[in-house]
Amino acid sequence: MKTPKILIATPGLNKPMGPFVKNYIENLPFEKIVLFGGFVPYFYMGTSLRKQKITRYFLTAISLMNHKRLQKIIKKRFKKILLKEKIDCVVGDFLVTGAAVREVCEELKIPIVANVLGYEIHKKDVLESNTAIYSKLGKYNAFVIPVAKNMVPKLKNLGFSDEQIVYSPIGAKEDFFKISPSYESYQFLAIGRFAETKSPQISIKAFAKVLEKFPHAKFVFAGDGELFEECQQLIEELQLSDKIDFVGWIGQETQMKLLSESAVFIQHSVTAENGDAEGTPVAIIEASAAGLPVVSTKNGGIIDTIIDGETGFLVDEHDLDSMAEKMIFLLENQNVIKEFGQRGKEFIRANFSLDKHLNDVSQTIIKSLNSR
């Protein structure tokens, strides 16, 4: 039997992006083509920035700078690639990508499998502007893979049936399960964007309260984003510059090193004013797989990954005092840190391994091909 050929469509503007795409490229058991460059992508993986710039300039010129005409040209280019490569199934990174390529795929009778990662279904303006194309996707031979259970009702409201919805958050690689944390280090770790949905300011303020009881505690924060400078200013105002280390964006090797050096993982996720919320944060799954207890919030898919009072603690959004109390409790009870950490490792292995997610995606692709 011929191995199916899939096209992985990622909206990354200048290159394929994100942990989902990376893991699909490396691990899905199909022949694969990867495109990027927008919600209807048209650049092959490996296309140089120079060639991208020339191509974009050329397409804009022949469209006479008319947006609708440009989109038609891009869709024609996408269709040519599908035909040339003899694609059997398109795998869209983000629901909006799957919806954007639906018209071309429907014309060619190619099924679609799309991830639902968060902002495209939670953020009010994005959801409102795309509701019509999401609903059209729901009427097609399409399957959606939400990474959090709280997305399922929203997808049903958009017209997707139970059979089309496959809940499956991305999981942790095997390497993370081999990590042994430093439970006696008194070091907290946070990894993520300095963005409104992560509310890094609350994590910093909660840590300041921890220092009142444990002045030798440490906090390492990896990542950057629009709130980075604001948070730098905050730690200076709180006189915590010698206690909090901002290390910027990190690779997986550094991430694993930091996990092995830390005792507790923290992330104070909140729902933004525009409705944006977490999907299921990969960083939390990986921290728990590594054996770190997690202190986080009752937000998005986080409630599916942390068992409150068994593998970590979940507090209400914006509850600074409860966040600090749970952090202090763990430092006061070293035996609990270890117990929570080991239970978390076992829970993630049973429910959120990368192998399980890849199998879910593979089976969904096969199901979509059998539904043609």
Side-chain angles (χ1 to χ4, degrees), residues 60-77:
T60 302
I62 63 173
S63 71
L64 303 177
M65 300 185 73
N66 181 288
H67 180 71
K68 286 187 177 180
R69 193 177 292 127
L70 176 61
Q71 291 308 305
K72 283 184 179 180
I73 293 169
I74 288 173
K75 286 181 179 179
K76 279 186 180 180
R77 185 182 173 101

Side-chain angles (χ1 to χ4, degrees), residues 321-348:
D321 291 335
S322 290
M323 187 85 170
E325 285 170 11
K326 300 305 183 186
M327 293 165 72
I328 291 169
F329 175 83
L330 287 172
L331 293 189
E332 287 177 332
N333 296 274
Q334 291 290 309
N335 61 318
V336 175
I337 289 184
K338 294 176 184 177
E339 288 172 12
F340 279 19
Q342 291 310 304
R343 283 184 201 153
K345 190 184 286 278
E346 293 165 8
F347 178 69
I348 296 299

Side-chain angles (χ1 to χ4, degrees), residues 26 33 44 73 81-82 97 126 141 172 192 245 252 303 307 362:
E26 294 176 354
I33 295 293
Y44 282 91
I73 293 169
I81 293 172
L82 291 177
T97 306
V126 176
N141 179 17
D245 190 9
Q252 190 169 100
I303 61 174
I307 305 175
S362 297

Side-chain angles (χ1 to χ4, degrees), residues 310-327:
E310 291 188 32
T311 68
F313 290 116
L314 297 176
V315 304
D316 292 332
E317 294 181 24
H318 304 286
D319 191 343
L320 168 64
D321 291 335
S322 290
M323 187 85 170
E325 285 170 11
K326 300 305 183 186
M327 293 165 72

Side-chain angles (χ1 to χ4, degrees), residues 9 16 32 49 55 72 76 109 135 166 215 277 306 337 364:
K32 297 175 282 279
L49 284 171
T55 302
K72 283 184 179 180
K76 279 186 180 180
K109 296 182 171 57
S135 296
V166 181
I306 302 301
I337 289 184
T364 303

Side-chain angles (χ1 to χ4, degrees), residues 158-223:
L158 289 166
F160 291 93
S161 66
D162 288 329
E163 291 72 25
Q164 291 175 287
I165 302 171
V166 181
Y167 162 66
S168 182
I170 196 170
K173 291 182 178 178
E174 184 61 30
D175 289 347
F176 286 94
F177 294 100
K178 298 174 183 176
I179 293 173
S180 297
S182 300
Y183 293 125
E184 298 175 359
S185 67
Y186 289 82
Q187 178 165 295
F188 294 95
L189 175 65
I191 300 174
R193 291 177 297 112
F194 283 73
E196 185 182 358
T197 53
K198 305 289 186 185
S199 192
Q201 306 97 317
I202 294 180
S203 295
I204 292 168
K205 290 174 182 177
F207 177 69
K209 288 180 174 289
V210 173
L211 286 173
E212 293 173 9
K213 189 152 192 178
F214 292 94
H216 55 295
K218 294 171 287 184
F219 180 21
V220 176
F221 208 133

